[in-house]
mmCIF file with all atom_site columns, all heavy atoms in Angstrom:
data_model
loop_
_atom_site.group_PDB
_atom_site.id
_atom_site.type_symbol
_atom_site.label_atom_id
_atom_site.label_alt_id
_atom_site.label_comp_id
_atom_site.label_asym_id
_atom_site.label_entity_id
_atom_site.label_seq_id
_atom_site.pdbx_PDB_ins_code
_atom_site.Cartn_x
_atom_site.Cartn_y
_atom_site.Cartn_z
_atom_site.occupancy
_atom_site.B_iso_or_equiv
_atom_site.pdbx_formal_charge
_atom_site.auth_seq_id
_atom_site.auth_comp_id
_atom_site.auth_asym_id
_atom_site.auth_atom_id
_atom_site.pdbx_PDB_model_num
ATOM 1   N N   . LYS T 1 35 ? 99.171  118.330 72.117 1.00 0.00 ? 35 LYS T N   1
ATOM 2   C CA  . LYS T 1 35 ? 99.612  119.739 71.920 1.00 0.00 ? 35 LYS T CA  1
ATOM 3   C C   . LYS T 1 35 ? 99.959  120.032 70.522 1.00 0.00 ? 35 LYS T C   1
ATOM 4   O O   . LYS T 1 35 ? 99.701  121.079 69.865 1.00 0.00 ? 35 LYS T O   1
ATOM 5   C CB  . LYS T 1 35 ? 100.898 119.982 72.712 1.00 0.00 ? 35 LYS T CB  1
ATOM 6   C CG  . LYS T 1 35 ? 101.384 121.402 72.735 1.00 0.00 ? 35 LYS T CG  1
ATOM 7   C CD  . LYS T 1 35 ? 102.675 121.595 73.487 1.00 0.00 ? 35 LYS T CD  1
ATOM 8   C CE  . LYS T 1 35 ? 102.411 122.056 74.874 1.00 0.00 ? 35 LYS T CE  1
ATOM 9   N NZ  . LYS T 1 35 ? 103.678 122.348 75.611 1.00 0.00 ? 35 LYS T NZ  1
ATOM 10  N N   . LEU T 1 36 ? 100.605 118.994 69.786 1.00 0.00 ? 36 LEU T N   1
ATOM 11  C CA  . LEU T 1 36 ? 100.874 119.143 68.325 1.00 0.00 ? 36 LEU T CA  1
ATOM 12  C C   . LEU T 1 36 ? 99.646  119.301 67.471 1.00 0.00 ? 36 LEU T C   1
ATOM 13  O O   . LEU T 1 36 ? 99.730  120.091 66.501 1.00 0.00 ? 36 LEU T O   1
ATOM 14  C CB  . LEU T 1 36 ? 101.816 117.929 67.905 1.00 0.00 ? 36 LEU T CB  1
ATOM 15  C CG  . LEU T 1 36 ? 103.266 117.976 68.462 1.00 0.00 ? 36 LEU T CG  1
ATOM 16  C CD1 . LEU T 1 36 ? 103.973 116.653 68.047 1.00 0.00 ? 36 LEU T CD1 1
ATOM 17  C CD2 . LEU T 1 36 ? 103.958 119.181 67.895 1.00 0.00 ? 36 LEU T CD2 1
ATOM 18  N N   . LYS T 1 37 ? 98.722  118.490 67.824 1.00 0.00 ? 37 LYS T N   1
ATOM 19  C CA  . LYS T 1 37 ? 97.444  118.403 66.987 1.00 0.00 ? 37 LYS T CA  1
ATOM 20  C C   . LYS T 1 37 ? 96.471  119.565 67.286 1.00 0.00 ? 37 LYS T C   1
ATOM 21  O O   . LYS T 1 37 ? 95.852  120.195 66.353 1.00 0.00 ? 37 LYS T O   1
ATOM 22  C CB  . LYS T 1 37 ? 96.664  117.149 67.203 1.00 0.00 ? 37 LYS T CB  1
ATOM 23  C CG  . LYS T 1 37 ? 97.401  115.892 66.694 1.00 0.00 ? 37 LYS T CG  1
ATOM 24  C CD  . LYS T 1 37 ? 97.399  115.850 65.154 1.00 0.00 ? 37 LYS T CD  1
ATOM 25  C CE  . LYS T 1 37 ? 97.932  114.568 64.722 1.00 0.00 ? 37 LYS T CE  1
ATOM 26  N NZ  . LYS T 1 37 ? 98.064  114.414 63.216 1.00 0.00 ? 37 LYS T NZ  1
ATOM 27  N N   . CYS T 1 38 ? 96.368  119.920 68.598 1.00 0.00 ? 38 CYS T N   1
ATOM 28  C CA  . CYS T 1 38 ? 95.385  120.876 69.010 1.00 0.00 ? 38 CYS T CA  1
ATOM 29  C C   . CYS T 1 38 ? 95.867  122.239 69.425 1.00 0.00 ? 38 CYS T C   1
ATOM 30  O O   . CYS T 1 38 ? 95.041  123.210 69.696 1.00 0.00 ? 38 CYS T O   1
ATOM 31  C CB  . CYS T 1 38 ? 94.474  120.204 70.028 1.00 0.00 ? 38 CYS T CB  1
ATOM 32  S SG  . CYS T 1 38 ? 93.778  118.704 69.515 1.00 0.00 ? 38 CYS T SG  1
ATOM 33  N N   . GLY T 1 39 ? 97.113  122.221 69.804 1.00 0.00 ? 39 GLY T N   1
ATOM 34  C CA  . GLY T 1 39 ? 97.696  123.525 70.248 1.00 0.00 ? 39 GLY T CA  1
ATOM 35  C C   . GLY T 1 39 ? 97.960  123.551 71.734 1.00 0.00 ? 39 GLY T C   1
ATOM 36  O O   . GLY T 1 39 ? 97.354  122.741 72.516 1.00 0.00 ? 39 GLY T O   1
ATOM 37  N N   . ALA T 1 40 ? 98.750  124.557 72.207 1.00 0.00 ? 40 ALA T N   1
ATOM 38  C CA  . ALA T 1 40 ? 99.207  124.628 73.564 1.00 0.00 ? 40 ALA T CA  1
ATOM 39  C C   . ALA T 1 40 ? 98.069  125.052 74.438 1.00 0.00 ? 40 ALA T C   1
ATOM 40  O O   . ALA T 1 40 ? 97.930  124.574 75.592 1.00 0.00 ? 40 ALA T O   1
ATOM 41  C CB  . ALA T 1 40 ? 100.336 125.619 73.708 1.00 0.00 ? 40 ALA T CB  1
ATOM 42  N N   . GLN T 1 41 ? 97.152  125.856 73.994 1.00 0.00 ? 41 GLN T N   1
ATOM 43  C CA  . GLN T 1 41 ? 95.953  126.237 74.800 1.00 0.00 ? 41 GLN T CA  1
ATOM 44  C C   . GLN T 1 41 ? 95.130  125.076 75.150 1.00 0.00 ? 41 GLN T C   1
ATOM 45  O O   . GLN T 1 41 ? 94.587  124.983 76.283 1.00 0.00 ? 41 GLN T O   1
ATOM 46  C CB  . GLN T 1 41 ? 95.203  127.368 74.102 1.00 0.00 ? 41 GLN T CB  1
ATOM 47  C CG  . GLN T 1 41 ? 94.103  127.887 74.992 1.00 0.00 ? 41 GLN T CG  1
ATOM 48  C CD  . GLN T 1 41 ? 93.428  129.013 74.312 1.00 0.00 ? 41 GLN T CD  1
ATOM 49  O OE1 . GLN T 1 41 ? 93.605  129.365 73.091 1.00 0.00 ? 41 GLN T OE1 1
ATOM 50  N NE2 . GLN T 1 41 ? 92.364  129.588 74.973 1.00 0.00 ? 41 GLN T NE2 1
ATOM 51  N N   . PHE T 1 42 ? 94.946  124.114 74.209 1.00 0.00 ? 42 PHE T N   1
ATOM 52  C CA  . PHE T 1 42 ? 94.196  122.919 74.454 1.00 0.00 ? 42 PHE T CA  1
ATOM 53  C C   . PHE T 1 42 ? 94.693  122.080 75.615 1.00 0.00 ? 42 PHE T C   1
ATOM 54  O O   . PHE T 1 42 ? 93.991  121.493 76.390 1.00 0.00 ? 42 PHE T O   1
ATOM 55  C CB  . PHE T 1 42 ? 94.128  122.179 73.188 1.00 0.00 ? 42 PHE T CB  1
ATOM 56  C CG  . PHE T 1 42 ? 93.278  120.918 73.284 1.00 0.00 ? 42 PHE T CG  1
ATOM 57  C CD1 . PHE T 1 42 ? 91.989  120.988 73.082 1.00 0.00 ? 42 PHE T CD1 1
ATOM 58  C CD2 . PHE T 1 42 ? 93.860  119.641 73.526 1.00 0.00 ? 42 PHE T CD2 1
ATOM 59  C CE1 . PHE T 1 42 ? 91.091  119.850 73.141 1.00 0.00 ? 42 PHE T CE1 1
ATOM 60  C CE2 . PHE T 1 42 ? 93.046  118.592 73.569 1.00 0.00 ? 42 PHE T CE2 1
ATOM 61  C CZ  . PHE T 1 42 ? 91.688  118.611 73.428 1.00 0.00 ? 42 PHE T CZ  1
ATOM 62  N N   . THR T 1 43 ? 96.086  122.019 75.757 1.00 0.00 ? 43 THR T N   1
ATOM 63  C CA  . THR T 1 43 ? 96.690  121.172 76.685 1.00 0.00 ? 43 THR T CA  1
ATOM 64  C C   . THR T 1 43 ? 97.125  121.785 77.935 1.00 0.00 ? 43 THR T C   1
ATOM 65  O O   . THR T 1 43 ? 97.686  121.194 78.822 1.00 0.00 ? 43 THR T O   1
ATOM 66  C CB  . THR T 1 43 ? 97.878  120.383 76.130 1.00 0.00 ? 43 THR T CB  1
ATOM 67  O OG1 . THR T 1 43 ? 98.785  121.367 75.606 1.00 0.00 ? 43 THR T OG1 1
ATOM 68  C CG2 . THR T 1 43 ? 97.446  119.550 74.983 1.00 0.00 ? 43 THR T CG2 1
ATOM 69  N N   . SER T 1 44 ? 97.029  123.208 78.088 1.00 0.00 ? 44 SER T N   1
ATOM 70  C CA  . SER T 1 44 ? 97.601  123.880 79.177 1.00 0.00 ? 44 SER T CA  1
ATOM 71  C C   . SER T 1 44 ? 97.110  123.354 80.593 1.00 0.00 ? 44 SER T C   1
ATOM 72  O O   . SER T 1 44 ? 97.877  123.138 81.531 1.00 0.00 ? 44 SER T O   1
ATOM 73  C CB  . SER T 1 44 ? 97.439  125.361 79.097 1.00 0.00 ? 44 SER T CB  1
ATOM 74  O OG  . SER T 1 44 ? 96.047  125.680 79.148 1.00 0.00 ? 44 SER T OG  1
ATOM 75  N N   . LYS T 1 45 ? 95.790  123.205 80.625 1.00 0.00 ? 45 LYS T N   1
ATOM 76  C CA  . LYS T 1 45 ? 95.195  122.656 81.959 1.00 0.00 ? 45 LYS T CA  1
ATOM 77  C C   . LYS T 1 45 ? 95.616  121.272 82.244 1.00 0.00 ? 45 LYS T C   1
ATOM 78  O O   . LYS T 1 45 ? 95.854  120.871 83.331 1.00 0.00 ? 45 LYS T O   1
ATOM 79  C CB  . LYS T 1 45 ? 93.740  122.841 81.992 1.00 0.00 ? 45 LYS T CB  1
ATOM 80  C CG  . LYS T 1 45 ? 93.173  124.303 82.021 1.00 0.00 ? 45 LYS T CG  1
ATOM 81  C CD  . LYS T 1 45 ? 91.638  124.309 82.170 1.00 0.00 ? 45 LYS T CD  1
ATOM 82  C CE  . LYS T 1 45 ? 91.293  125.820 82.268 1.00 0.00 ? 45 LYS T CE  1
ATOM 83  N NZ  . LYS T 1 45 ? 89.766  125.849 82.412 1.00 0.00 ? 45 LYS T NZ  1
ATOM 84  N N   . LEU T 1 46 ? 95.652  120.441 81.213 1.00 0.00 ? 46 LEU T N   1
ATOM 85  C CA  . LEU T 1 46 ? 96.077  118.989 81.320 1.00 0.00 ? 46 LEU T CA  1
ATOM 86  C C   . LEU T 1 46 ? 97.529  118.987 81.813 1.00 0.00 ? 46 LEU T C   1
ATOM 87  O O   . LEU T 1 46 ? 97.772  118.172 82.661 1.00 0.00 ? 46 LEU T O   1
ATOM 88  C CB  . LEU T 1 46 ? 95.873  118.257 79.942 1.00 0.00 ? 46 LEU T CB  1
ATOM 89  C CG  . LEU T 1 46 ? 94.556  118.348 79.362 1.00 0.00 ? 46 LEU T CG  1
ATOM 90  C CD1 . LEU T 1 46 ? 94.549  117.699 77.973 1.00 0.00 ? 46 LEU T CD1 1
ATOM 91  C CD2 . LEU T 1 46 ? 93.517  117.687 80.216 1.00 0.00 ? 46 LEU T CD2 1
ATOM 92  N N   . GLU T 1 47 ? 98.433  119.711 81.216 1.00 0.00 ? 47 GLU T N   1
ATOM 93  C CA  . GLU T 1 47 ? 99.858  119.781 81.696 1.00 0.00 ? 47 GLU T CA  1
ATOM 94  C C   . GLU T 1 47 ? 99.940  120.280 83.118 1.00 0.00 ? 47 GLU T C   1
ATOM 95  O O   . GLU T 1 47 ? 100.659 119.807 83.957 1.00 0.00 ? 47 GLU T O   1
ATOM 96  C CB  . GLU T 1 47 ? 100.630 120.640 80.803 1.00 0.00 ? 47 GLU T CB  1
ATOM 97  C CG  . GLU T 1 47 ? 100.834 120.025 79.479 1.00 0.00 ? 47 GLU T CG  1
ATOM 98  C CD  . GLU T 1 47 ? 101.460 120.996 78.399 1.00 0.00 ? 47 GLU T CD  1
ATOM 99  O OE1 . GLU T 1 47 ? 101.283 122.201 78.576 1.00 0.00 ? 47 GLU T OE1 1
ATOM 100 O OE2 . GLU T 1 47 ? 102.110 120.424 77.489 1.00 0.00 ? 47 GLU T OE2 1
ATOM 101 N N   . GLY T 1 48 ? 98.991  121.210 83.453 1.00 0.00 ? 48 GLY T N   1
ATOM 102 C CA  . GLY T 1 48 ? 98.986  121.795 84.790 1.00 0.00 ? 48 GLY T CA  1
ATOM 103 C C   . GLY T 1 48 ? 98.554  120.714 85.852 1.00 0.00 ? 48 GLY T C   1
ATOM 104 O O   . GLY T 1 48 ? 99.153  120.658 86.946 1.00 0.00 ? 48 GLY T O   1
ATOM 105 N N   . MET T 1 49 ? 97.693  119.837 85.500 1.00 0.00 ? 49 MET T N   1
ATOM 106 C CA  . MET T 1 49 ? 97.295  118.742 86.378 1.00 0.00 ? 49 MET T CA  1
ATOM 107 C C   . MET T 1 49 ? 98.481  117.806 86.614 1.00 0.00 ? 49 MET T C   1
ATOM 108 O O   . MET T 1 49 ? 98.666  117.428 87.805 1.00 0.00 ? 49 MET T O   1
ATOM 109 C CB  . MET T 1 49 ? 96.148  118.021 85.694 1.00 0.00 ? 49 MET T CB  1
ATOM 110 C CG  . MET T 1 49 ? 94.900  118.677 85.702 1.00 0.00 ? 49 MET T CG  1
ATOM 111 S SD  . MET T 1 49 ? 93.608  118.054 84.543 1.00 0.00 ? 49 MET T SD  1
ATOM 112 C CE  . MET T 1 49 ? 93.367  116.384 85.191 1.00 0.00 ? 49 MET T CE  1
#
Side-chain angles (χ1 to χ4, degrees):
K35 185 187 261 185
L36 287 173
K37 294 285 184 184
C38 304
Q41 185 176 1
F42 182 84
T43 59
S44 64
K45 288 184 179 180
L46 304 174
E47 291 171 330
M49 290 165 57

